[in-house]
Amino acid sequence: MKKEVQVHSLFSDFDISLFRAGKHYRLYEKFGAHILEVDGEKGVYFAVWAPSAKSVSVIGDFNYWLEGEHPLNVRWDESGIWEGFIPGVEKGAKYKYKIHSSIDDMKLEKADPYALKCEHPPNTASIVWDLEYKWKDKKHMSSRKDKNSLSSPYSIYEVHLGSWRKNMDENRSLTYVEMADELVSYVKEVGFTHVEFMPIMEYPYDPSWGYQLTGYFAPTSRFGDPQEFMYLTDAFHKAGIGVILDWVPSHFPEDKHGLGKFDGSNLYEHPDPRKGYHPDWKSLIFNYGRNEVRSFLISNAIFWLDKYHADGLRVDAVASMLYLDYSREDGEWEPNEHGGRENLDAISFVRDLNTEVYKSFDGVQTIAEESTSFPMVSRPVDLGGLGFGMKWMMGWMHDTLEYFKKDSIYRQYHQNDITFSMTYTFTENFVLPLSHDEVVYGKKSLLGRMPGDDWQRFANLRLLYSYMFTHPGAKLLFMGAEIGQYEEWNYNTSLDWHLLDYEPHQGIKKVLTDLNKLYKTRPALHEKQFTADGFEWISYDDSQNSVLTYIRKGEDPKKSLVVVCNFTPTVLKDYSVGVPHSGKLKEIFNSDNEKYGGSGIKNKSIKTKKESFHGRDNSAEITIPPLGCVVFEIL
């Protein structure tokens, strides 16, 4: 016997027109399951988009999962939206949509694309929930425009929540609430300005690390409920730390309960497999040319910034979206209308996304993980760019790691590898990433890549981080890098926290803590990190000694810093360096400091000489420690 489903709608005619035009960016306020009171009765309003359906029923634990007990009503306006109010359904109820398709008479059971909470995988039902929460981050939200600006320090700690630290007594990952204590205090201690979570949206398959999403509007139930994730974000904000979320609009999995063939048709994915199927990841690609799909995706991005107070979105796999021939052979892709390889629909979508994000929120950033030379990724849309705030500098990452893995005796022949990034570093607003992708699949950990004996390996790692933090651009380090992890990352196990019982690993953590402090407190390292007038070479051609010397500059030229890097284990004494002006050189950072595990070779105050060197009127003679980076201020 069919139960009463009351005719009710949250959609106005204007909502429908925006949705169909691809311009409705708050669809989470309309679609999904909403706890309401209608005509004095409490219950839940359901709405789902399924234009190829003959009928849609809500099935759940409140009706014994029986089809037809609660049929939804299709709207008269040909929008393809099915909706209705079901009295008596309460928060916590489990449900799905039973869709009877007009295509091949298929019957499908689908999770709600707009569900606010999902069952803990491997279970797949959606859960009626709300987003009621009393935020306590007013101070952070009101000041984050300054904290997140391109002229502010931006040091990111990338985290996989399931494997950062385990509760060893119970052999489980920490909960959101536990992380609000342990993770927040740790990130603050080491001094990162931001934390970036690998995808926390619900995903069915642990080995995907979260990059194959099925619950786009639900934080994963693995670690707690939505309010507990809000509590974690709130805790970071109260500690003055920004929260960036990895976001995946590039592809989605084929799981039966997910978005694929949602109503029997290619509703969310592109119907042409040349544009709708990803051969590398064996997943489906969104149809960026379909207006309703664009509304879904942009609404999802806005949702996490709006309801969860995220400070930024790192957009995954942007290159795969931009190019029709991405990971495809000749004959496996079709050129665009101009005969090119660019995906014009995806480019248009990305521009709309960034335009809406920056229009709607002060003090947020979108960051592109984009690995090609596509132009103007982090330039404004109105200037012809894609509109991202920043872009990962994949070339720097590749060249730098290739250079560092070489034995120091051979580095003199590869000086260009370590200097080449400066030929293009100001073409975009770059983030220097040493991410999770660099410590998996046989690539070794960062420490494991370093050559030489144990002392040299740790010295090389300290030098790598020092070079990174004094190079222009924002910074990103994957968890474990700060303790000198020996092993590659394993999503199933905790980081090797016991390593901090040993001094060399303590030294890595200390050097990163001090580098974060240096980056945050010295304006020369962040005020002009994305502009060419914030950097100046002193010398990049001393390949024989494998030495680089350069100046970092902020708004005040008197507060410029001189950076010297020695990429060999040879101590260089009485090394002449041209300096920008006369005065005394004071060493303010030295990666060879004994407290980091270094040899303790350092410089006392050095008075400059009125002797020309490196094309400058003033110079100084310094000592450069082995495999060391030294930073000076001139007083």
Side-chain angles (χ1 to χ4, degrees):
M1 177 179 174
K2 293 181 180 179
K3 304 292 176 66
E4 181 182 2
V5 178
Q6 297 180 16
V7 177
H8 187 77
S9 184
L10 295 181
F11 290 90
S12 67
D13 290 345
F14 186 55
D15 287 323
I16 297 299
S17 65
L18 287 176
F19 173 53
R20 300 180 76 173
K23 298 295 183 183
H24 200 310
Y25 302 144
R26 302 294 189 280
L27 288 178
Y28 51 89
E29 297 175 349
K30 310 295 177 179
F31 280 113
H34 296 268
I35 301 169
L36 301 175
E37 184 174 316
V38 176
D39 296 332
E41 286 190 283
K42 294 181 179 179
V44 175
Y45 164 82
F46 294 90
V48 63
W49 179 50
S52 292
K54 290 197 292 189
S55 66
V56 177
S57 295
V58 181
I59 58 174
D61 56 6
F62 48 86
N63 63 16
Y64 304 101
W65 302 94
L66 294 176
E67 179 185 3
E69 289 289 293
H70 289 105
L72 296 179
N73 307 296
V74 66
R75 287 183 62 89
W76 57 270
D77 52 18
E78 298 183 350
S79 62
I81 296 172
W82 298 75
E83 60 184 348
F85 175 75
I86 305 177
V89 178
E90 298 179 341
K91 178 179 176 179
K94 298 175 183 178
Y95 71 100
K96 284 186 178 179
Y97 294 116
K98 187 78 171 188
I99 299 173
H100 189 178
S101 176
S102 61
I103 299 173
D104 297 331
D105 214 33
M106 287 187 289
K107 288 194 174 181
L108 308 156
E109 287 188 7
K110 293 290 187 178
D112 187 348
Y114 292 84
L116 299 177
K117 186 180 179 185
C118 302
E119 278 193 294
H120 191 303
N123 297 322
T124 58
S126 303
I127 300 176
V128 174
W129 209 255
D130 62 37
L131 296 176
E132 295 298 320
Y133 180 80
K134 189 173 181 180
W135 288 91
K136 300 178 178 66
D137 63 349
K138 184 177 180 180
K139 180 180 178 181
H140 172 88
M141 296 296 282
S142 63
S143 64
R144 71 175 182 178
K145 185 175 182 180
D146 293 330
K147 290 181 179 179
N148 284 354
S149 75
L150 296 178
S151 59
S152 298
Y154 218 91
S155 172
I156 306 165
Y157 186 59
E158 185 190 26
V159 175
H160 177 262
L161 289 178
S163 60
W164 179 70
R165 180 177 288 165
K166 299 278 189 179
N167 181 313
M168 303 310 292
D169 294 335
E170 302 174 27
N171 191 29
R172 62 167 176 81
S173 301
L174 300 184
T175 65
Y176 292 132
V177 172
E178 289 169 334
M179 283 184 271
D181 178 24
E182 298 187 35
L183 180 58
V184 172
S185 61
Y186 180 80
V187 174
K188 186 172 184 178
E189 175 195 352
V190 184
F192 291 96
T193 64
H194 293 74
V195 66
E196 178 181 320
F197 295 138
M198 291 166 68
I200 53 85
M201 301 81 184
E202 195 61 83
Y203 57 98
Y205 187 50
D206 284 349
S208 79
W209 310 335
Y211 291 99
Q212 299 272 7
L213 307 181
T214 50
Y216 269 78
F217 290 83
T220 179
S221 294
R222 288 168 173 83
F223 316 117
D225 65 31
Q227 280 74 15
E228 288 169 334
F229 180 63
M230 292 176 181
Y231 178 78
L232 173 59
T233 301
D234 217 355
F236 271 112
H237 285 174
K238 284 187 282 185
I241 298 165
V243 177
I244 303 166
L245 303 181
D246 272 14
W247 184 57
V248 191
S250 48
H251 64 115
F252 58 93
E254 295 183 285
D255 294 61
K256 289 183 179 180
H257 68 287
L259 296 178
K261 294 277 187 181
F262 188 80
D263 62 354
S265 71
N266 300 113
L267 191 62
Y268 287 91
E269 67 272 25
H270 200 287
D272 184 343
R274 294 174 295 180
K275 298 179 180 179
Y277 184 77
H278 201 296
D280 284 354
W281 303 318
K282 296 179 173 54
S283 55
L284 302 172
I285 301 172
F286 285 104
N287 185 353
Y288 304 109
R290 187 163 195 169
N291 286 338
E292 295 90 342
V293 173
R294 293 164 74 105
S295 285
F296 168 82
L297 285 172
I298 297 177
S299 290
N300 185 242
I302 297 298
F303 172 80
W304 293 102
L305 299 168
D306 176 18
K307 297 300 184 180
Y308 283 89
H309 289 201
D311 301 287
L313 299 172
R314 176 268 195 183
V315 184
D316 183 61
V318 172
S320 73
M321 301 165 61
L322 298 180
Y323 293 104
L324 297 166
D325 64 343
Y326 184 89
S327 198
R328 298 179 190 274
E329 303 294 333
D330 290 344
E332 296 178 346
W333 63 282
E334 183 181 43
N336 63 36
E337 62 193 60
H338 306 298
R341 52 195 282 260
E342 297 80 13
N343 187 330
L344 301 181
D345 288 334
I347 291 169
S348 171
F349 157 72
V350 165
R351 286 174 170 155
D352 283 355
L353 162 73
N354 284 317
T355 298
E356 183 62 23
V357 165
Y358 284 101
K359 182 181 78 173
S360 300
F361 299 94
D362 272 342
V364 302
Q365 296 289 352
T366 58
I367 305 170
E369 190 241 337
E370 204 283 317
S371 55
T372 74
S373 58
F374 194 95
M376 301 181 69
V377 171
S378 58
R379 296 294 181 257
V381 171
D382 56 7
L383 297 180
L386 292 184
F388 286 99
M390 288 180 258
K391 169 184 170 173
W392 276 21
M393 196 175 189
M394 308 297 277
W396 173 89
M397 175 274 298
H398 177 269
D399 291 345
T400 299
L401 292 180
E402 279 295 307
Y403 179 85
F404 266 88
K405 78 178 185 181
K406 291 178 170 63
D407 192 285
S408 57
I409 196 171
Y410 300 115
R411 289 177 178 173
Q412 61 182 306
Y413 307 112
H414 298 276
Q415 187 87 345
N416 186 60
D417 290 351
I418 202 70
T419 62
F420 182 69
S421 62
M422 290 310 307
T423 65
Y424 64 94
T425 196
F426 300 114
T427 60
E428 300 277 5
N429 300 330
F430 279 120
V431 177
L432 312 183
L434 294 175
S435 74
H436 66 274
D437 280 325
E438 307 318 313
V439 291
V440 290
Y441 299 144
K443 295 177 182 177
K444 300 182 181 179
S445 68
L446 295 181
L447 180 62
R449 293 176 186 223
M450 299 297 120
D453 58 25
D454 272 355
W455 189 92
Q456 290 187 17
R457 292 170 70 198
F458 280 94
N460 266 305
L461 191 60
R462 295 193 302 268
L463 175 57
L464 168 62
Y465 295 156
S466 303
Y467 167 65
M468 176 186 189
F469 272 75
T470 56
H471 187 289
K475 331 295 177 187
L476 179 141
L477 277 170
F478 182 55
M479 63 182 200
E482 79 285 2
I483 63 173
Q485 187 95 354
Y486 275 118
E487 302 298 327
E488 285 189 346
W489 170 54
N490 183 341
Y491 73 91
N492 255 331
T493 63
S494 171
L495 295 180
D496 293 330
W497 294 106
H498 66 276
L499 293 175
L500 289 176
D501 293 337
Y502 304 96
E503 289 185 2
H505 298 274
Q506 294 171 14
I508 296 297
K509 183 182 174 188
K510 288 176 182 175
V511 81
L512 262 172
T513 301
D514 284 355
L515 283 167
N516 270 319
K517 183 178 179 181
L518 187 73
Y519 179 45
K520 291 189 290 186
T521 58
R522 297 291 174 163
L525 293 177
H526 60 255
E527 284 185 342
K528 295 186 175 183
Q529 60 191 338
F530 299 118
T531 58
D533 57 351
F535 177 91
E536 185 179 345
W537 281 117
I538 294 174
S539 173
Y540 56 83
D541 56 2
D542 186 5
S543 58
Q544 183 176 356
N545 288 307
S546 297
V547 169
L548 295 181
T549 51
Y550 46 91
I551 303 169
R552 291 300 312 278
K553 299 181 286 186
E555 298 294 340
D556 185 350
K558 294 182 180 179
K559 294 183 179 180
S560 297
L561 301 178
V562 173
V563 183
V564 185
C565 297
N566 175 13
F567 297 98
T568 76
T570 302
V571 179
L572 299 173
K573 297 181 178 180
D574 301 323
Y575 189 91
S576 294
V577 177
V579 293
H581 57 82
S582 63
K584 288 185 178 180
L585 266 65
K586 179 184 177 183
E587 186 180 282
I588 60 171
F589 173 82
N590 186 331
S591 68
D592 191 50
N593 194 307
E594 288 176 306
K595 69 178 179 178
Y596 308 140
S599 60
I601 294 174
K602 56 189 175 183
N603 293 270
K604 296 181 179 178
S605 179
I606 302 167
K607 191 171 183 179
T608 63
K609 298 184 294 185
K610 195 69 176 178
E611 293 181 10
S612 178
F613 203 77
H614 289 140
R616 301 172 187 277
D617 294 336
N618 297 280
S619 62
E621 290 185 350
I622 64 173
T623 298
I624 317 178
L627 294 171
C629 173
V630 187
V631 181
F632 299 95
E633 63 180 356
I634 305 178
L635 302 176

